[in-house]
Amino acid sequence: MSVTAVIGLQWGDEAKGKIVDLLTDQHEIVVRYLGGNNAGHTVKFDGQTYKLSLLPAGILRPGVQSVIANGVVINPKALLEEMKSITDRGLPIGENLIISDRGHVIFPYHHAEEAIFEASRGDSKIGTTMRGIGTCYRDKIGRAHAIRVGDFVRPAVLRKRLEEIVPYKNQILKCLDPNFKPFEVQALYDEYMGYADQLRPRVVDTTTFLHKALRDKKSILFEGAQGSLLDIDHGTFPYVTSSNASACGIQSGSGVPSRAIDRIIGVVKAYTTRVGGGPCPTELLDEIGQHIRDEGHEYGTVTGRPRRCGWLDTVATKYGANLAGVDCIAVMLLDVLGKLDELKICEAYEIDGERTTDFPSHVDDLAKAKPVYRTLPGWKKDITGVRRMADFPKEARAYLDSVSELVGAPVEIVSVGPDREQTVLS
Ligand code: IMP
């Protein structure tokens, strides 16, 4: 048996989907345990591209059980559309997908609230994905206005909860936006009952399911979403997502104890990207940043927004690795750097004249951080055909050695292109 977790060590978009996809054939169960349809995972194989958002990557491998666990916030309309997009392409979804009755449900008032809250921040917008993620989690923590999946699939409970919640939401939204058009309980009930009728057979207690799977020594893969630096507690608050996007979220988001996890793989892009607001010390606002964006196709899978690009920041990445306690790292998109004459890796920050390798806990200190760079020669070669570590040009190997040294974990996987095949294992 093996229980593995794949965790992004940066600000999300580390190409975790590819690593998860590669590992799914070695695992019987794949678990998504946080976030919602703010996430976007791209998986390419056999000349096909699949874009997943809420569905675990296990859905692309027949025979693998996919689990949407309790930590996920679910937009049922988006989930059903995504399921249809997969079944339309000939991949069946039957009993291989189960959904936790403890998950929380996103309603249209969550989108309306998010639009108002984001606008209220003026120039310091968080830059959210506008999927109602943060406002749904806010209701979960607040309890009074939350609707769990277990409520949503019980018609009488759903109606009662909507009758309690919707008038309150309407009142608040009307105060915040005089042009707001109130939500109607009956219309929401009818719409959501339509989704509930389709999803009900999949709704189970996934915590008990996973505990039984552990007893039965099944192999389980935890599929992280977003990235460690977007973690609500440990990330660059308030420019974060509303859940524990570091490895800290596995226990609360699935009910599986951390001692059950055998191996944690930290996923790192060979450079840095970030979408949305918040400081990003190594961001490049010049032609090199644009070159990386173009070569890496760095535009959001979910929102299409251009990603902010910069050199690899190992102060930030090492912090993510420490939060996860990684066993090894996977370096993604190394090929993207192949045309540059020289490469830089941030190995420390200078903050108020002091050099540090500790990641600051306050976002204002991070905003002041000046990267201290190590400069390495580029390899100036196409490495997309490399399949063995020994076949990398010596400059690429030196780059990987620096990443390993500065992040503090061995590089065991390197990705040199989007396809399943374009992967080098140590
Ligand atoms: P939210 O998750 O929509 O509330 O957005 C909060 C912040 O997290 C924003 O800066 C988003 O751009 C960022 N974010 C959310 N999901 C992802 C993701 O999957 N990849 C990268 N950034 C994300």
Side-chain angles (χ1 to χ4, degrees):
M1 144 177 127
S2 121
V3 180
T4 310
V6 174
I7 305 291
L9 301 186
Q10 295 158 311
W11 279 283
D13 307 317
E14 298 93 349
K16 296 176 290 296
K18 174 170 168 175
I19 299 301
V20 172
D21 171 62
L22 283 171
L23 294 171
T24 46
D25 65 348
Q26 299 164 26
H27 293 84
E28 291 153 284
I29 300 170
V30 179
V31 185
R32 177 76 194 274
Y33 58 90
L34 83 148
N37 63 326
N38 50 349
H41 287 171
T42 306
V43 179
K44 292 193 181 188
F45 61 92
D46 294 345
Q48 303 262 1
T49 302
Y50 295 89
K51 290 195 187 292
L52 301 175
S53 190
L54 260 168
L55 289 171
I59 214 75
L60 303 177
R61 302 257 193 189
V64 172
Q65 178 69 53
S66 291
V67 177
I68 298 181
N70 60 283
V72 178
V73 285
I74 296 169
N75 177 332
K77 180 170 188 261
L79 176 59
L80 285 162
E81 281 169 6
E82 193 179 333
M83 286 165 62
K84 184 169 180 314
S85 77
I86 297 295
T87 53
D88 280 352
R89 294 174 70 178
L91 288 167
I93 303 182
E95 289 173 5
N96 58 336
L97 175 68
I98 55 173
I99 302 167
S100 172
D101 57 356
R102 293 184 176 90
H104 281 250
V105 182
I106 298 174
F107 285 84
Y109 46 75
H110 290 128
H111 295 88
E113 289 173 329
E114 183 176 22
I116 290 172
F117 295 153
E118 270 287 83
S120 76
R121 285 184 61 93
D123 287 345
S124 48
K125 281 188 182 35
I126 292 168
T128 69
T129 58
M130 290 293 171
R131 298 292 188 272
I133 306 293
T135 38
C136 182
Y137 276 121
R138 199 187 55 156
D139 279 344
K140 169 180 174 174
I141 301 301
R143 294 150 300 158
H145 302 127
I147 299 185
R148 302 216 291 185
V149 173
D151 302 325
F152 152 75
V153 295
R154 289 172 168 81
V157 180
L158 177 64
R159 179 177 284 282
K160 182 166 177 294
R161 295 298 289 135
L162 288 173
E163 281 168 355
E164 289 161 356
I165 295 166
V166 172
Y168 174 85
K169 295 281 184 190
N170 281 341
Q171 238 178 326
I172 297 285
L173 285 163
K174 186 80 188 158
C175 290
L176 295 170
D177 174 10
N179 299 320
F180 162 74
K181 187 167 164 289
F183 291 105
E184 286 173 19
V185 171
Q186 186 64 44
L188 278 182
Y189 174 80
D190 290 344
E191 180 186 346
Y192 273 67
M193 273 310 293
Y195 306 141
D197 288 344
Q198 295 173 71
L199 293 172
R200 192 175 293 107
R202 305 183 181 282
V203 174
V204 299
D205 175 351
T206 58
T207 310
T208 299
F209 172 88
L210 290 171
H211 290 168
K212 180 168 185 314
L214 288 173
R215 279 198 304 278
D216 293 345
K217 308 228 174 298
K218 296 256 170 102
S219 50
I220 305 175
L221 180 63
F222 286 96
E223 173 179 347
Q226 287 87 44
S228 303
L229 306 175
L230 290 172
D231 185 285
I232 182 76
D233 286 290
H234 302 286
T236 49
F237 192 90
Y239 300 99
V240 291
T241 191
S242 299
S243 59
N244 286 117
S246 69
C248 303
I250 299 175
Q251 287 170 270
S252 57
S254 71
V256 168
S258 59
R259 66 191 302 170
I261 299 168
D262 301 305
R263 190 164 181 245
I264 301 190
I265 302 174
V267 187
V268 181
K269 213 175 247 187
Y271 45 92
T272 296
T273 62
R274 174 160 208 180
V275 277
C280 181
T282 61
E283 181 173 12
L284 294 167
L285 298 168
D286 56 11
E287 69 281 3
I288 298 182
Q290 187 57 42
H291 171 82
I292 294 175
R293 187 174 303 114
D294 292 341
E295 291 288 310
H297 311 291
E298 293 294 354
Y299 296 88
T301 323
V302 173
T303 58
R305 289 180 288 181
R307 295 179 184 142
R308 301 158 65 192
C309 297
W311 297 119
L312 179 64
D313 178 346
T314 62
V315 179
T317 310
K318 186 184 172 70
Y319 173 66
N322 287 345
L323 286 170
V326 295
D327 293 286
C328 66
I329 48 181
V331 176
M332 312 303 287
L333 293 120
L334 188 66
D335 53 299
V336 168
L337 302 179
K339 291 184 184 154
L340 294 166
D341 293 328
E342 67 177 22
L343 306 168
K344 291 181 196 278
I345 300 181
C346 168
E347 58 180 13
Y349 294 152
E350 206 184 276
I351 303 176
D352 295 331
E354 298 273 332
R355 188 181 166 124
T356 180
T357 53
D358 293 337
F359 191 69
S361 53
H362 199 287
V363 79
D364 290 351
D365 292 330
L366 185 65
K368 286 191 283 186
K370 292 195 187 69
V372 177
Y373 285 116
R374 173 183 295 192
T375 304
L376 294 121
W379 45 91
K380 304 275 285 174
K381 284 191 187 79
D382 178 3
I383 55 167
T384 55
V386 173
R387 295 294 176 268
R388 295 185 322 152
M389 289 285 184
D391 294 341
F392 277 122
K394 69 175 189 319
E395 295 85 354
R397 268 184 283 147
Y399 189 83
L400 293 170
D401 287 346
S402 283
V403 175
S404 176
E405 173 207 325
L406 292 167
V407 178
V411 173
E412 290 190 2
I413 307 173
V414 181
S415 175
V416 292
D419 212 80
R420 268 184 192 165
E421 311 304 316
Q422 292 176 297
T423 311
V424 183
L425 305 177
S426 70

